[in-house]
Amino acid sequence: MSTRQDHFAESHYGTLNTSKFLSLRIPLQSHHLELILYQAYANLRAEAERTYIGVLWWIFDPIIFMSIFYIVFALLLRQKTDNFVAFLLVGLVIWRWFQNTVTNGSNAILNGQSLMRQVYLPKLIFPLVTILSDLFKFTLVFTLLVIYLWASGHSIGLPYLTLPFLLFVQFLLIMGTTCVTASLVPLLPDLRYLIGHLLQLMFYVSGIFYSGESIPEKYRAYFYLNPAANLIESYRDILLNNRWPDLRAMLIITLLALFLILIGYKLVTTFDHEYPKMVAR
Amino acid sequence: MNQDSGIPSPILSLRNVGAFYWRRSGYLRKEHFWALKDVSFDLYQGESLGIIGRNGAGKSTLLKLLAGIISPDKGKLINYGFTTTLLSLQLGFLPNLSGRENAILSGMLLGMKRKEIEKRLSYIQEFSELDDFFDQPINTYSSGMRARLGFSVAFQLDPDVLLIDEILGVGDADFRKKSEAVMREKIRSDKTIVLVSHSAATVRQLCNRTVWIENGETKAEGETAEVLRSYEGSLGSQSIKK
């Protein structure tokens, strides 16, 4: 009896203290993983049911978004990069996975407050549901992107071997960033505005519609401090230029992502019983 | 072992428990608002414990503590290894999904495994009397139908301790009667129940022991009849003062 008692007492009634912050127990059990899967499926279905063409929006939405950028940068500003459409597409698809998940995920715990006041749920569930449903949408768009690239004459080379690794690194980075922002937004809802503006800034400095080489040499080192810029360039290396990506940069991003995941996880579990108490503002 | 000694062992113990919420007290300023200040009692296996008190006495906060949703900011709450769940109707319902899908989702949010809830779907469909509507999106339901589905799902829950906040029956007249009947049956069974109510009549009917909460503090604890006598006495003296 004693083990179960201790476990239960800690998981449900532990108060805010440092020992909790230092422990590394994962609070999710198998039925929570089931719940994350089903809730993600349910959210996607509900979202599709809300519009006439439903699922097709997940494809049209990025296409329309990309058309706008094509009009502005290729036609109006006459950007001179070879193969600009493919170049732009890769940048935008990759960027939007990051931006959408972080934007939606930041509000995940805050939006879950009415639910978490009625039943005990490990709060990690909320951002994970968003991460999962946005991953599904991205997979759809990314598959179409790769098909388009093949159809337009880009070949598959050996560097493709690193593509799964690259996707996984980005997934980790998205997960870490989202968990950190999701854990902080309920504590300070004002952060939502800040996160929006930071993402906007990141969008412009990540080389989505220009390449790193086009930046003056003395500033280029700063440009590559941005993980998103490195990721986008690596995808272009593999998908467009048949080049191996910078694996050292990938390794550094992996470490950064793991660090963010740890911090986010710690914050979410530390405030597990505090979130339901925060009065909706 | 404990049964032989004749003294039953508690499954939950509260000792001087208090809990606060944050409340905005001005620009950039927040303060504690103590919803519960000093509550102590024990919950024993198989009993139906009533919690009575006026609106704003802290009853709902107390249930949230017992359900493990929030943790005490003061005092001690000891759970000796039992699962506790607050009976929540229509938890997490999504309007665009079918009754069946919402039943699965809501059941899983309440802590059931997907397989468990799927096994009971035909029973839920039957009890909720939804027939073909069960596979229609619930935004086509009347509010009565939604209430029926919500009750039928939540009633499948079988935690060690069931926490009930006021609700006994829901829906239109017929279904209210039916749902109230099964709920009363559950409360009278060997199941451990905590029932929160501001109605003395309900508590008198269903609970063997009662705790009276006033302003976030335990005012009395004991036999239902005794506690209710002083509770109703206090209500009387209040209305005389007015």
Side-chain angles (χ1 to χ4, degrees):
Chain A
M1 179 178 131
S2 67
T3 53
R4 194 179 166 204
Q5 174 188 335
D6 294 345
H7 168 75
F8 193 87
E10 209 230 326
S11 65
H12 280 216
Y13 298 107
T15 46
L16 201 59
N17 57 30
T18 46
S19 72
K20 198 168 176 185
F21 191 82
L22 294 175
S23 90
L24 254 182
R25 203 172 45 76
I26 303 288
L28 298 179
Q29 293 154 8
S30 66
H31 72 273
H32 291 132
L33 300 179
E34 273 183 356
L35 171 63
I36 292 170
L37 267 174
Y38 198 80
Q39 182 78 65
Y41 155 80
N43 289 355
L44 285 170
R45 269 224 41 194
E47 191 185 321
E49 295 287 329
R50 275 197 291 268
T51 52
Y52 267 103
I53 58 166
V55 179
L56 286 179
W57 270 121
W58 300 342
I59 297 160
F60 283 157
D61 189 42
I63 290 177
I64 294 169
F65 186 76
M66 287 181 284
S67 311
I68 293 169
F69 279 86
Y70 180 75
I71 293 167
V72 174
F73 289 103
L75 303 181
L76 298 181
L77 294 177
R78 305 212 172 268
Q79 185 85 11
K80 297 269 190 308
T81 311
D82 295 337
N83 211 348
F84 187 65
V85 176
F87 179 89
L88 184 65
L89 279 176
V90 173
L92 284 175
V93 168
I94 295 309
W95 169 254
R96 276 172 62 90
W97 181 23
F98 183 84
Q99 186 189 30
N100 287 348
T101 316
V102 173
T103 308
N104 298 333
S106 298
N107 298 323
I109 294 181
L110 190 72
N111 292 343
Q113 279 187 334
S114 77
L115 207 56
M116 67 178 74
R117 291 201 183 107
Q118 298 174 73
V119 68
Y120 172 76
L121 291 168
K123 308 305 173 282
L124 225 41
I125 287 177
F126 296 92
L128 289 179
V129 167
T130 315
I131 290 169
L132 196 63
S133 46
D134 279 330
L135 173 67
F136 177 81
K137 289 192 213 165
F138 166 74
T139 309
L140 213 67
V141 176
F142 188 72
T143 309
L144 288 176
L145 170 71
V146 173
I147 291 171
Y148 166 81
L149 293 178
W150 293 343
S152 62
H154 294 273
S155 55
I156 307 174
L158 272 180
Y160 260 75
L161 289 172
T162 54
L163 188 57
F165 172 64
L166 185 57
L167 287 163
F168 185 64
V169 171
Q170 189 182 359
F171 178 73
L172 290 181
L173 184 68
I174 286 174
M175 185 144 95
T177 314
T178 306
C179 286
V180 170
T181 54
S183 70
L184 294 176
V185 163
L187 307 176
L188 197 61
D190 314 50
L191 277 177
R192 274 182 297 178
Y193 295 100
L194 209 60
I195 290 167
H197 289 305
L198 280 176
L199 283 170
Q200 189 73 23
L201 174 67
M202 244 179 115
F203 171 79
Y204 287 112
V205 300
S206 296
I208 290 157
F209 40 86
Y210 55 90
S211 68
E213 288 155 21
S214 65
I215 292 174
E217 201 139 358
K218 57 177 177 175
Y219 298 122
R220 210 173 287 166
Y222 297 109
F223 174 76
Y224 286 113
L225 284 177
N226 174 3
N230 284 284
L231 282 170
I232 289 169
E233 194 161 290
S234 300
Y235 280 105
R236 282 180 183 144
D237 282 339
I238 298 172
L239 297 171
L240 305 179
N241 307 327
N242 202 10
R243 259 202 314 244
W244 294 93
D246 182 355
L247 289 176
R248 202 179 61 101
M250 291 308 105
L251 197 68
I252 294 170
I253 294 173
T254 308
L255 292 177
L256 171 72
L258 291 175
F259 175 72
L260 287 173
I261 289 173
L262 184 71
I263 296 293
Y265 160 78
K266 282 287 144 200
L267 285 168
V268 175
T269 46
T270 302
F271 292 107
D272 206 35
H273 285 90
E274 300 302 311
Y275 291 127
K277 281 188 186 174
M278 292 164 191
V279 186
R281 278 149 291 199
Chain B
M1 212 165 67
N2 283 323
Q3 283 156 350
D4 291 346
S5 65
I7 307 161
S9 56
I11 61 181
L12 266 173
S13 297
L14 283 82
R15 293 287 172 268
N16 310 101
V17 164
F20 62 75
Y21 294 102
W22 288 98
R23 183 163 68 180
R24 203 165 245 209
S25 63
Y27 186 69
L28 290 179
R29 226 184 279 150
K30 282 191 270 181
E31 60 176 16
H32 292 175
F33 160 67
W34 288 87
L36 279 185
K37 293 164 195 151
D38 186 2
V39 173
S40 307
F41 64 86
D42 293 308
L43 179 69
Y44 296 97
Q45 183 88 51
E47 75 171 339
S48 299
L49 181 75
I51 292 176
I52 200 149
R54 267 182 275 267
N55 284 334
K59 292 172 300 194
S60 296
T61 306
L62 180 55
L63 275 193
K64 286 197 179 75
L65 273 170
L66 296 177
I69 293 169
I70 58 175
S71 49
D73 297 300
K74 159 176 152 339
K76 243 188 182 167
L77 193 160
I78 307 153
N79 182 318
Y80 297 96
F82 297 86
T83 56
T84 57
T85 308
L86 180 61
L87 189 80
S88 309
L89 305 184
Q90 306 185 30
L91 185 71
F93 273 17
L94 291 173
N96 300 86
L97 298 191
S98 72
R100 185 181 300 275
E101 288 165 319
N102 271 303
I104 298 173
L105 182 61
S106 196
M108 287 172 85
L109 285 169
L110 286 165
M112 293 169 79
K113 290 199 172 72
R114 184 164 175 180
K115 280 211 177 102
E116 283 171 4
I117 184 98
E118 275 173 348
K119 258 188 265 168
R120 296 175 203 204
L121 281 176
S122 57
Y123 177 80
I124 292 172
Q125 183 173 15
E126 194 190 305
F127 192 87
S128 59
E129 301 166 20
L130 284 168
D131 297 325
D132 297 342
F133 267 101
F134 196 51
D135 288 302
Q136 295 297 315
I138 63 165
N139 52 15
T140 63
Y141 288 19
S142 67
S143 61
M145 289 161 79
R146 226 179 265 215
R148 259 145 56 191
L149 179 65
F151 183 90
S152 308
V153 173
F155 195 71
Q156 302 303 312
L157 266 180
D158 199 24
D160 297 328
V161 182
L162 186 61
L163 311 168
I164 305 170
D165 196 353
E166 302 281 358
I167 339 148
L168 288 178
V170 294
D172 40 51
D174 283 344
F175 191 81
R176 180 177 291 268
K177 213 178 272 174
K178 172 172 147 186
S179 51
E180 229 182 287
V182 290
M183 190 60 99
R184 279 165 196 273
E185 202 179 307
K186 197 163 201 161
I187 295 173
R188 289 211 184 90
S189 72
D190 286 343
K191 190 134 205 76
T192 316
I193 304 269
V194 178
L195 173 70
V196 157
S197 186
H198 59 258
S199 148
T202 314
V203 171
R204 184 174 288 121
Q205 271 180 3
L206 296 170
C207 303
N208 12 52
R209 238 158 41 83
T210 297
V211 175
W212 170 18
I213 308 277
E214 184 83 47
N215 280 328
E217 293 172 11
T218 23
K219 193 109 183 211
E221 179 203 353
E223 292 288 318
T224 297
E226 244 171 80
V227 174
L228 285 184
R229 203 172 304 131
S230 35
Y231 173 65
E232 283 173 327
S234 87
L235 290 182
S237 66
Q238 280 249 321
S239 55
I240 289 166
K241 267 184 228 162
K242 279 178 195 164

